[in-house]
Amino acid sequence: MRVVIVGAGPAGLSLHHLLRARGHEVHLIERARSFDRIGYGIGLWGNAWRILEELGAADTVSRSATAVDHWQLRDAAGRVLGDIRLQPTPGRKTTAADAEPRPFSVIHRAELHDALWTGVPDAVVTMGTTVEAVEQDDGGATLTLSDGSRQRADVLVGADGVHSRVRQLVFGVEPRDLGTAAWGFRIPPGVDLPDGFTELLGEDGKALLLVGMPGTRMATLSMRVPSERVVEDPLAYLRAHSREWILPEILDAVAATDAEIFFDRNREADLARFDRGRVVLIGDAAHALHPIVGMGASLALEDAWVLADQLGAAGIGQEPALEGFTHRRRGPVRRARREAALARRLVLTENAAMRRLRDFLATRASWFGGSFARRAARLSRPPSERL
Ligand SMILES: Cc1cc2nc3c(=O)[nH]c(=O)nc-3n(C[C@H](O)[C@H](O)[C@H](O)COP(=O)(O)OP(=O)(O)OC[C@H]3O[C@@H](n4cnc5c(N)ncnc54)[C@H](O)[C@@H]3O)c2cc1C
């Protein structure tokens, strides 16, 4: 089968590896001319590790990722509300060959991308190009690309992220602004950070994740920003709206070093189906959700795994089972969306009473720790059992 994947992010690259291993012919279309280093910390749960193992990328990823064994929750003044030891996920080996699940870890997006990019032959990627039109018939899809060329695919996969062009062209669906925005940056040396993984539950609907571990110092911040508000200078905007704990000091240091900043509004895409004819969406293109639950990349890897499983090994005259993909992915996506909506309402709240409730729950380390442990245990089961 010839599969054309639009978008070489975590979803597209993982799918590429899985399909080539099954003998399919794969071509990637990527809009960027080269990949930038801007990004944010990505939390890797057991489900992502399991699939990275299968891709052969887990060891490379683990060299750049930092395992998190400790999670501290602080209020806007920097007072410690809760201090949670993250127990190693109970190992559940189903076969002797099955690896122990790796611990919840954080990695910079650019480093995850580098690891997934390893082993992609130049010949199967067209960089600096996007798709302008898609026509479908019974046998496949024909794409017109921005360089004027055309490509024929038995299956076309939209893995082109939250602003997906494939979704727009084939499904006619635009993402919805969630009224919040995210910033991500590395923290310059010189700022005295607490050790480990710290979550600051801030004011005005703000939450800041700080990673202060040897070799890994980065921040990811979400904050309410009204949909109609145009943010021309993300760093200046953030500095004008940040007075919590060490945040002003961090932002002064970032401004002084000209560190690169990731900024984007948070949007979600909510579709009833992820397939239409010979076209299927995976990753954020299919179901972008709020980053507060730290699940998007893990879901993207799961999508790649399930789609590769649906397409099976390469065979002549085989009909791609794309409806089955929607069927298998709908439940997990719905669940992650529910968790994201709940976390967004609780953590990014502007309401004073909700904020007090949030800070009170944070003092109950067992409440946060318990919900983390349950999710970690659920997600660490092998994909063949869970997906
Ligand atoms: C601040 C923040 C924090 C996050 N934290 C976490 C976390 O802790 N854990 C987690 O699992 N997830 C997290 N996520 C979500 C995660 O980053 C995404 O869900 C994940 O990157 C989705 O992967 P993807 O491959 O579907 O899309 P993307 O990563 O967006 O990749 C899409 C690719 O397609 C390319 N592309 C885009 N448009 C086109 C086009 N028209 N034509 C061709 N190519 C195109 C892009 O250049 C890119 O290479 C976070 C997100 C944000 C914003």
Side-chain angles (χ1 to χ4, degrees):
M1 207 176 286
R2 183 168 202 275
V3 180
V4 175
I5 304 171
V6 180
L13 293 175
S14 308
L15 182 65
H16 160 270
H17 294 304
L18 292 163
L19 289 181
R20 276 173 54 101
R22 286 166 169 79
H24 295 287
E25 181 190 342
V26 184
H27 195 89
L28 282 155
I29 309 287
E30 168 58 49
R31 185 180 54 187
R33 292 195 181 282
S34 62
F35 295 109
D36 60 34
R37 311 299 301 165
I38 301 178
Y40 40 83
I42 288 196
L44 295 174
W45 298 84
N47 54 347
W49 279 121
R50 293 277 191 192
I51 295 165
L52 290 167
E53 298 277 2
E54 192 165 329
L55 299 176
D59 288 338
T60 316
V61 169
S62 71
R63 279 196 282 279
S64 310
T66 308
V68 179
D69 60 0
H70 174 81
W71 175 21
Q72 205 170 64
L73 292 147
R74 296 194 184 228
D75 69 7
R79 281 184 299 257
V80 177
L81 298 169
D83 201 339
I84 304 163
R85 292 260 145 227
L86 304 178
Q87 300 303 322
T89 307
R92 205 159 103 61
K93 285 161 76 83
T94 44
T95 65
D98 185 22
E100 285 287 347
R102 300 194 189 214
F104 176 73
S105 307
V106 183
I107 188 170
H108 193 275
R109 187 191 186 282
E111 281 150 10
L112 175 64
H113 191 271
D114 285 350
L116 291 172
W117 183 247
T118 306
V120 177
D122 287 349
V124 308
V125 193
T126 308
M127 298 290 292
T129 310
T130 185
V131 53
E132 297 290 5
V134 177
E135 290 158 53
Q136 290 203 64
D137 53 50
D138 288 345
T142 305
L143 292 73
T144 307
L145 302 182
S146 51
D147 61 7
S149 66
R150 283 160 79 83
Q151 290 237 359
R152 180 76 182 159
D154 297 312
V155 173
L156 165 63
V157 181
D160 47 347
V162 58
H163 302 287
S164 171
R165 183 89 170 113
V166 176
R167 182 181 61 227
Q168 188 189 50
L169 290 169
V170 178
F171 296 75
V173 174
E174 296 288 351
R176 184 172 73 89
D177 191 296
L178 291 168
T180 66
W183 285 254
F185 44 87
R186 296 190 194 260
I187 301 172
V191 181
D192 194 15
L193 288 182
D195 286 341
F197 191 68
T198 304
E199 181 161 8
L200 167 69
L201 302 169
E203 297 168 347
D204 307 326
K206 187 190 288 142
L208 168 70
L209 286 172
L210 284 178
V211 182
M213 294 189 253
T216 314
R217 289 163 56 91
M218 55 192 164
T220 305
L221 187 145
S222 283
M223 185 168 79
R224 296 225 173 239
V225 180
S227 303
E228 62 285 358
R229 185 71 193 250
V230 178
V231 177
E232 274 164 11
D233 181 341
L235 180 56
Y237 186 91
L238 192 53
R239 292 178 86 188
H241 291 83
S242 297
R243 42 183 192 191
E244 296 96 334
W245 186 36
I246 53 170
L247 192 49
E249 188 193 338
I250 292 175
L251 294 176
D252 287 350
V254 170
T257 55
D258 262 349
E260 288 182 319
I261 297 208
F262 166 87
F263 171 78
D264 202 3
R265 302 194 63 93
N266 299 129
R267 295 180 172 86
E268 82 174 2
D270 193 0
L271 287 96
R273 301 195 59 87
F274 308 131
D275 68 293
R276 180 163 289 181
R278 292 294 188 111
V279 181
V280 61
L281 302 175
I282 63 171
D284 279 5
H287 45 64
L289 40 84
H290 199 282
I292 193 85
V293 278
M295 281 293 293
S298 302
L299 284 176
L301 295 181
E302 284 189 1
D303 284 352
W305 191 92
V306 173
L307 183 56
D309 193 46
Q310 284 296 123
L311 295 180
I316 293 165
Q318 199 178 301
E319 275 295 305
L322 302 182
E323 284 178 16
F325 173 79
T326 290
H327 182 69
R328 287 170 73 180
R329 294 308 289 149
R330 217 186 256 142
V333 167
R334 207 179 285 143
R335 179 172 192 154
R337 196 180 296 291
R338 268 200 313 270
E339 289 177 357
L342 181 67
R344 190 155 53 94
R345 271 204 299 279
L346 184 66
V347 178
L348 303 184
T349 181
E350 286 175 303
N351 175 294
M354 276 292 272
R355 210 158 54 220
R356 281 195 297 277
L357 171 65
R358 175 194 72 180
D359 291 359
F360 169 75
L361 288 174
T363 63
R364 296 289 177 269
S366 57
W367 190 83
F368 268 84
S371 78
F372 179 94
R374 280 190 297 279
R375 189 197 290 178
R378 171 168 54 88
L379 294 177
S380 72
R381 287 169 46 218
S384 54
E385 282 180 19
R386 212 169 48 78
L387 303 175

